Amino acid sequence: MDEEIELAFTLNGKAVRRRVPVRLHAVDLLREVFGLSGPRVACEHGICGACTLRVDGQLARGCLLLAPQLEGTDVWTIEGLTATGEIADLQNEFHARNAMQCGWCTAGMLITAAEILDAPAPMDRQAIREHLSGNYCRCTGYQAIVDAVEATRQARAAGRSAA
Amino acid sequence: MKAAGFRFLRARCVAEALALKAEHGEDARFIAGGQSLVPALNLRLLEPRALIDIAGLPELTGIRVERGRLVIGALTRHAALTGDPLVAAHAPLLLEALPYVAHAAIRNRGTFGGSIALADPAAEWPACCLALDATMVLTGPHAEGERRVPATEFFRGLYATALGPDDLLLRVEIPCQPAGTRNAALELARRHGDFAIVGVAATASDRELKDARIAFFGVADRPMRFAEVERALAVEGVSAAAEALARQVDPPADLYHSAATKRHLAGVLLRRAVDRLRGAA
Ligand SMILES: Cc1cc2nc3c(=O)[nH]c(=O)nc-3n(C[C@H](O)[C@H](O)[C@H](O)COP(=O)(O)OP(=O)(O)OC[C@H]3O[C@@H](n4cnc5c(N)ncnc54)[C@H](O)[C@@H]3O)c2cc1C
Ligand code: FES
Ligand code: FES
């Protein structure tokens, strides 16, 4: 029998509590126990970024976090970020530019890119690529993804200076 | 793949961590950020029966200056070095190396001490510690109090260090670099943020480079300084140093790069690092 723990944390803004096996990593936990299919499992050893989550306001690899390490944390998945509208502009740019094909990398890409949308320092395409370097996309060739992130950054910056 | 089952034990202080380790022995592993350990669990390269979570140990956190030394707690996350004024003032080499350490998501969880304890031969921090003449401070069940091990004696081989299986790394102490010290951290990797093919971490007190300390990583089973290379650089200049390096370095081939390629790349990085130390690049 797998060892279990009573786990309490905040998921997409709501307090949750559940008895769960300790050996689950965060993506399996979110998918299997909480029914969220946004976080993806792919390599399961930290290489590809498909599992990327926002934990306590920071990017984290879902496949490299064990269930007990989520105790007391504030976890956001693409479902939550979509519901709040925080990255609706980025999602629209992804859609408009076909920055996804199979979609396996998309949630991780969006969550990772969300970190730099408001970064005030200028970021050239190389800097955007470096920020996204931990996220593999096997389909798009990245150009459209970088385009979408760059366009969203520019639109937000224009919005700020107009305000 | 999925990790095999284990018990998850949370330690609240160093004494408790050591006691848990003594109780569970070889079947147990310490877990800090988990950014190297969890991949190994998921791949079932390791199947420990118990994980002892040390992430909450208050004694192992924080960055401070004490008696002329920059002290970095083992649990300091890579990302916590970003913009830290003490690190910027006293060991700026670390900030040059930081962007090469993994990817943002991994830097947010992985720890400085975890990287030192793991001692991946292609990792940045062990090489920086060697270049900066750092001292590792450890404790364990058998040692009376703390043990201090200089970087030159700490890294012993492939993933092998002076840490015994039941020892804890507490902190790393780095002599504060005088203002004006020159630094260079450079590496080549297939993808930005991945472990280096070959890298270099170097420091010198001025642009004369009479006392440069040049640590290479990814070229052997542990970070390496080559006395002959540093001497040749001080006495004859960069070409002689590059020749000495080509004679001395004997890198293991990896999946993608032959030993000859790595030897060549080490020479390329040496020249770039020297340019940087001299301020030409
Ligand atoms: C895709 C990917 C890319 C990466 N790229 C790089 C890179 O370019 N450069 C780099 O340096 N690292 C890289 N890493 C590894 C990362 O930096 C890890 O965070 C680090 O190596 C280990 O730190 P941790 O806190 O996660 O340790 P853990 O994974 O928790 O532990 C690693 C090992 O060290 C032991 N340990 C940890 N802390 C202590 C302690 N205080 N005392 C005694 N033993 C301890 C554990 O028992 C375990 O055996 C990468 C990781 C991934 C997944
Ligand atoms: S599934 Fe987590 S990084 Fe690939
Ligand atoms: S859209 Fe298929 S992996 Fe990115």
Side-chain angles (χ1 to χ4, degrees):
Chain A
M1 254 292 283
D2 278 344
E3 163 122 345
E4 296 195 337
I5 46 152
E6 183 82 16
L7 178 68
F9 65 108
T10 307
L11 178 55
N12 292 328
K14 278 195 355 218
V16 294
R17 174 181 288 276
R18 215 54 81 81
R19 228 185 138 65
V20 302
V22 294
R23 73 184 188 93
L24 287 191
H25 58 59
V27 189
D28 279 348
L29 175 84
L30 295 169
R31 293 179 67 92
E32 315 281 326
V33 179
F34 291 96
L36 296 176
S37 58
R40 298 291 156 84
V41 206
C43 72
E44 296 192 290
H45 60 281
I47 303 289
C48 75
C51 61
T52 305
L53 304 170
R54 187 186 287 175
V55 179
D56 289 338
Q58 294 184 325
L59 296 175
R61 294 281 205 241
C63 70
L64 301 187
L65 272 175
L66 297 168
Q69 295 175 300
L70 292 183
E71 177 65 31
T73 58
D74 179 31
V75 177
W76 287 84
T77 68
I78 193 63
E79 285 88 348
L81 296 181
T82 302
T84 63
E86 177 192 320
I87 52 168
D89 50 354
L90 179 66
Q91 288 167 311
N92 288 337
E93 291 289 354
F94 263 61
H95 191 221
R97 291 158 196 279
N98 243 351
M100 73 205 112
Q101 290 175 31
C102 80
W104 204 258
C105 69
T106 310
M109 282 288 180
L110 290 167
I111 294 176
T112 304
E115 304 292 296
I116 53 168
L117 294 179
D118 295 311
M123 273 184 110
D124 59 17
R125 294 176 68 83
Q126 184 57 29
I128 293 172
R129 282 177 178 277
E130 283 184 11
H131 182 76
L132 297 174
S133 67
N135 294 64
Y136 274 139
C137 176
R138 292 302 197 202
C139 305
T140 64
Y142 301 99
Q143 292 290 351
I145 294 174
V146 177
D147 289 347
V149 175
E150 194 176 33
T152 310
R153 273 182 55 83
Q154 284 165 357
R156 286 199 185 185
R160 276 196 304 274
S161 58
Chain B
M1 271 173 71
K2 313 292 178 191
F6 49 78
R7 297 184 60 199
F8 195 87
L9 310 164
R10 241 180 221 116
R12 281 157 302 184
C13 62
V14 168
E16 189 180 21
L18 294 175
L20 285 168
K21 190 72 175 79
E23 187 186 333
H24 294 272
E26 276 188 25
D27 284 344
R29 286 253 170 186
F30 295 121
I31 180 167
Q35 301 302 289
S36 293
L37 186 57
V38 179
L41 299 180
N42 287 349
L43 294 166
R44 298 210 181 184
L45 297 172
L46 293 174
E47 297 189 23
R49 298 248 200 89
L51 296 182
I52 301 169
D53 182 17
I54 58 172
L57 302 190
E59 301 101 314
L60 272 59
T61 49
I63 301 175
R64 58 186 192 276
V65 170
E66 245 174 47
R67 278 172 280 130
R69 305 188 139 239
L70 179 74
V71 181
I72 303 180
L75 288 174
T76 305
R77 290 175 171 178
H78 305 312
L81 271 64
T82 318
D84 183 281
L86 294 177
V87 177
H90 303 300
L93 176 65
L94 299 179
L95 297 185
E96 287 211 22
L98 179 61
Y100 296 113
V101 179
H103 309 277
I106 292 161
R107 287 197 293 274
N108 286 338
R109 309 291 307 191
T111 65
F112 192 84
S115 173
I116 302 291
L118 181 71
D120 190 293
E124 295 79 9
W125 297 145
C128 289
C129 285
L130 192 61
L132 294 171
D133 204 13
T135 298
M136 321 300 168
V137 186
L138 347 170
T139 190
H142 313 299
E144 279 296 304
E146 299 180 350
R147 269 189 298 148
R148 305 172 57 83
V149 184
T152 43
E153 290 161 33
F154 183 84
F155 301 105
R156 304 237 164 126
L158 195 63
Y159 301 105
T161 70
L163 284 165
D166 296 342
D167 290 342
L168 263 182
L169 176 66
L170 299 175
R171 58 184 183 274
V172 175
E173 299 186 357
I174 296 171
C176 289
Q177 304 286 102
T181 301
R182 327 231 11 131
N183 298 291
L186 297 165
E187 76 176 46
L188 299 166
R190 281 169 57 87
R191 174 176 71 151
H192 181 85
D194 283 357
F195 278 108
I197 303 163
V198 177
V200 60
T203 176
S205 62
D206 56 41
R207 61 173 68 205
E208 298 296 307
L209 308 189
K210 298 291 182 217
D211 60 354
R213 306 168 57 88
I214 307 174
F216 289 87
F217 48 106
V219 302
D221 60 355
R222 68 195 91 174
M224 297 287 282
R225 284 177 63 196
F226 300 97
E228 217 185 287
V229 173
E230 293 174 7
R231 204 175 315 121
L233 181 63
V235 178
E236 295 173 76
V238 68
S239 295
E243 281 165 28
L245 180 66
R247 280 194 305 274
Q248 297 256 302
V249 73
D250 184 19
D254 63 29
L255 220 48
Y256 306 105
H257 310 90
S258 66
T261 302
K262 285 190 163 192
R263 190 178 299 119
H264 171 75
L265 295 178
V268 170
L269 282 186
L270 172 65
R271 288 174 183 277
R272 287 186 192 169
V274 166
D275 281 350
R276 216 178 149 86
L277 290 173
R278 289 199 175 126

